[in-house]
Amino acid sequence: MGVTRRRVALKVDCDTYGGTKNGLPNLIRLFDELKIKATFLFTLGPDTSGRAVFRVFTQKGFLKKMLRSNAAALYGPKTMLYGTLLPAPMIGKKLGREIHAVESAGHEVGVHGWDHIRWHDRVGKMPFDKVERDYMNARAEFQRIFGHPAQSSGAPGWHACENSLRVQQNCNLLYASDTRGGNPCFPSVNDRVFNVLEIPTTLPTWDETLGTTGLVDENAFITFYRGLVRGTEVHSIHTEVEATAKLALFRKQLIAWKTDGVEFVTLEQIAREQLANRGDIPVRALRRISIPNRGGLVSTTVESA
Ligand SMILES: [Zn+2]
């Protein structure tokens, strides 16, 4: 038996107009410098981030998280007003050129929803036809920008449900990355098994760990993440954090991982490896759980009985 390969797939979630606009050129440059290929997932509809302020009233832990991660500084004052006092910019329509440049730079591209805030906060309560419309809007916009269909997607806020899995089932996807924790699997809901491979995010995100007690200095923070890579990990990053406000620290993180011999892969590579032995992929049941330092609940999968 050889030594376990330590690998990281970077899943870049582009949530907002500002993050997409300002973060993409930074990441393309950084990944070019370090010879890393990553997976970028784009939110393509209206940026209604301003509506997230209402989570202060509806979601336990939201205010604490916003204060701890200093969200206003990370996201910028304008983003906090989109969809409320300022009109919501249409991300795909306005930033098609910036988004297309990611694929031209050799990275994998996929979909991260239409209206991030609505999906994040409401998808579990939305009827099937509304979930389908949101998802299909994003796919149509992706097709318009890239000239080919999306082969993958990641759910906003790691929020999957029976309706979203039903919609995805008909889209000829290579994989989805909708959940947190556990191994790649075929998800099931009430004994119905869905046929799209799910590849979960395995590492905690920076907005969950920044400012956490014990990780206040940069070295401690980077050392913590170095220790988390045990096998093949999926790390979700956000253009609003790692690609802008925390870009210099993110560069240090990537260099530290490279020094440790960590290899970088795309989610597509992981999917193809998994699907080469399709019969070995387990079925796991979809659940909602809370995660330390994240407001609200996220989707995960657990071993089916
Ligand atoms: Zn997101």
Side-chain angles (χ1 to χ4, degrees):
M1 292 288 280
V3 184
T4 313
R5 286 161 82 195
R6 302 206 301 150
R7 306 191 299 177
V8 171
L10 294 169
K11 168 177 171 278
V12 184
D13 289 350
C14 306
D15 291 2
T16 64
Y17 171 76
T20 305
K21 184 174 193 262
N22 303 319
L24 291 184
N26 290 341
L27 283 187
I28 290 174
R29 218 175 304 123
L30 178 62
F31 291 159
D32 225 41
E33 179 203 336
L34 301 178
K35 306 206 168 12
I36 288 171
K37 296 289 183 234
T39 301
F40 287 71
L41 305 180
F42 304 102
T43 304
L44 295 167
D47 177 358
T48 59
S49 301
R51 289 186 195 149
V53 298
F54 298 115
R55 287 185 198 149
V56 168
F57 307 107
T58 58
Q59 204 176 81
K60 198 168 149 257
F62 181 73
L63 184 61
K64 210 166 120 205
K65 181 200 146 189
M66 293 298 267
L67 293 173
R68 185 180 40 72
S69 63
N70 194 6
L74 291 176
Y75 286 78
K78 260 179 135 177
T79 299
M80 310 291 276
L81 299 175
Y82 285 148
T84 55
L85 295 178
L86 292 174
M90 299 298 280
I91 301 171
K93 201 167 183 185
K94 292 207 158 169
L95 300 176
R97 201 168 350 119
E98 288 84 345
I99 290 169
H100 190 269
V102 172
E103 188 179 53
S104 307
H107 299 288
E108 189 198 355
V109 290
V111 163
H112 187 48
W114 178 249
D115 181 335
H116 193 286
I117 298 291
R118 181 169 59 193
W119 184 288
H120 181 295
D121 290 353
R122 299 191 38 79
V123 72
K125 297 179 204 114
M126 276 156 61
F128 178 79
D129 59 321
K130 285 221 168 105
V131 176
E132 186 177 43
R133 200 183 317 143
D134 239 60
Y135 195 78
M136 291 306 170
N137 277 340
R139 284 184 66 78
E141 187 65 345
F142 183 98
Q143 168 88 43
R144 188 188 68 75
I145 292 170
F146 291 104
H148 63 79
Q151 64 169 2
S152 64
S153 64
W158 300 279
H159 199 160
C161 58
E162 186 170 11
N163 282 341
S164 71
L165 296 180
R166 270 178 66 200
V167 172
Q168 289 172 1
Q169 178 121 300
N170 302 320
C171 293
N172 201 20
L173 297 179
L174 182 65
Y175 70 90
S177 184
D178 293 344
T179 66
R180 298 287 300 263
N183 294 321
C185 63
F186 292 115
S188 70
V189 178
N190 299 329
D191 293 332
R192 175 171 177 188
V193 180
F194 292 86
N195 67 6
V196 176
L197 171 66
E198 163 62 24
I199 305 177
T201 291
T202 62
L203 299 184
T205 65
W206 274 24
D207 63 338
E208 289 157 5
T209 49
L210 280 167
T212 309
T213 330
L215 296 178
V216 276
D217 96 44
E218 284 194 0
N219 285 331
F221 187 75
I222 287 173
T223 306
F224 171 72
Y225 273 93
R226 287 174 104 152
L228 290 180
V229 181
R230 301 197 176 95
T232 298
E233 312 290 350
V234 176
H235 185 42
S236 289
I237 70 165
H238 290 93
T239 44
E240 295 75 18
V241 183
E242 286 89 339
T244 45
K246 300 289 178 188
L247 183 67
L249 185 61
F250 183 52
R251 183 170 176 277
K252 283 186 194 165
Q253 176 74 80
L254 296 179
I255 291 171
W257 271 335
K258 288 202 101 156
T259 309
D260 293 345
V262 168
E263 295 168 51
F264 291 89
V265 290
T266 60
L267 285 165
E268 177 180 359
Q269 277 171 268
I270 297 176
R272 296 203 185 279
E273 287 170 12
Q274 290 288 324
L275 291 166
N277 299 301
R278 198 180 174 100
D280 296 343
I281 299 171
V283 171
R284 291 166 62 90
L286 192 71
R287 292 276 185 280
R288 298 282 286 165
I289 53 161
S290 68
I291 285 213
N293 303 316
R294 173 162 296 284
L297 301 177
V298 298
S299 297
T300 190
T301 58
V302 296
E303 219 169 293
S304 322

